[in-house]
């Protein structure tokens, strides 16, 4: 569960930053739009175990949907319109920004994969830019910390606690990122073939 949560904390907090900015402008809309922004930042990574960065990652389509949603929210800023706009904007930001990181391989610090995120509009994989070398790299944690600052300064109570918890999960993930791969390598090597065959291919291809 830790890799699933930690791999998405930076994206979720990026969404929270968007939500925090909107809350500062329209505080009467409440916290639902901020929550929607966090969920939008998380949503694309729900495909982690099934066609990751392709099944739910839509850099073009999410962006195309976000533009009119943001326009509607700007003209009629209700809790609902803001929540929809922020969800789509955060999902678009997540899908598009994955190209700035590493590839899909389980050892992305090796830089062997040229698949960062799938562009359904053009029907091809976009290559990783590796500005953030991989999820769980120290610079990924630095980005998470930067995204955590605005909501921590603005909110208190449960919202602040959740942001701090997300940063803590990211910190633990940075420490365990490479050791977890080594443990998985050993575990896969010890498994019988019929068990390995039941696992998603992308999780085992680097270990066989």
């Amino acid at each position: 569960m830790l890799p699933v949560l930690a791999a998405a904390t930076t994206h979720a907090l990026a969404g929270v930053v968007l939500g925090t900015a909107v809350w500062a402008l329209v505080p009467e809309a409440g916290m639902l739009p901020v929550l929607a922004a966090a969920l939008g930042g998380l949503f694309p990574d729900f495909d982690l175990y099934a066609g990751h960065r392709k099944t739910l990652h839509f850099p073009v389509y999410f962006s195309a949907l976000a533009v009119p949603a943001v326009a509607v929210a700007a003209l009629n800023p209700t809790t609902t319109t803001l929540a929809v706009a922020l969800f789509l904007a955060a999902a678009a930001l997540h899908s598009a920004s994955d190209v700035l990181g590493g590839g899909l391989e389980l050892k992305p610090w090796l830089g062997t994969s040229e698949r960062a995120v799938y562009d359904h509009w053009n029907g091809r994989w976009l290559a990783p830019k590796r500005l953030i070398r991989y999820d769980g790299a120290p610079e990924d944690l630095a980005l998470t910390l930067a995204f955590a600052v605005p909501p921590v300064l603005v909110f208190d109570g449960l919202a602040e606690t959740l942001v701090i918890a997300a940063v803590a999960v990211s910190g633990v993930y940075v420490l365990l990122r490479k050791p977890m791969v080594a443990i998985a390598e050993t575990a896969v090597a010890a498994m019988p073939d019929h068990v390995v065959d039941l696992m998603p291919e992308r999780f085992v291809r680097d270990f066989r």
Side-chain angles (χ1 to χ4, degrees), residues 42-101:
L42 283 171
F43 180 74
D45 273 347
F46 289 168
D47 70 6
L48 186 67
Y49 295 105
H52 187 40
R53 296 194 186 174
K54 181 177 182 180
T55 304
L56 295 178
H57 284 61
F58 302 101
V60 175
Y61 296 147
F62 274 138
S63 299
L65 290 172
V67 171
V70 169
V72 170
L75 293 172
N76 183 29
T78 68
T79 298
T80 300
T81 60
L82 290 170
V84 171
L86 282 167
F87 178 91
L88 292 171
L93 178 62
H94 178 153
S95 299
S97 64
D98 269 344
V99 76
L100 302 178

Side-chain angles (χ1 to χ4, degrees), residues 2 4 13 34 54 59 73 78 87 92 103 105 120-121 135 161 189 203:
L2 180 63
V4 177
L13 289 176
V34 181
K54 181 177 182 180
T78 68
F87 178 91
E105 69 269 47
H120 293 81
W121 176 258
D135 62 286
T161 300
F203 286 104

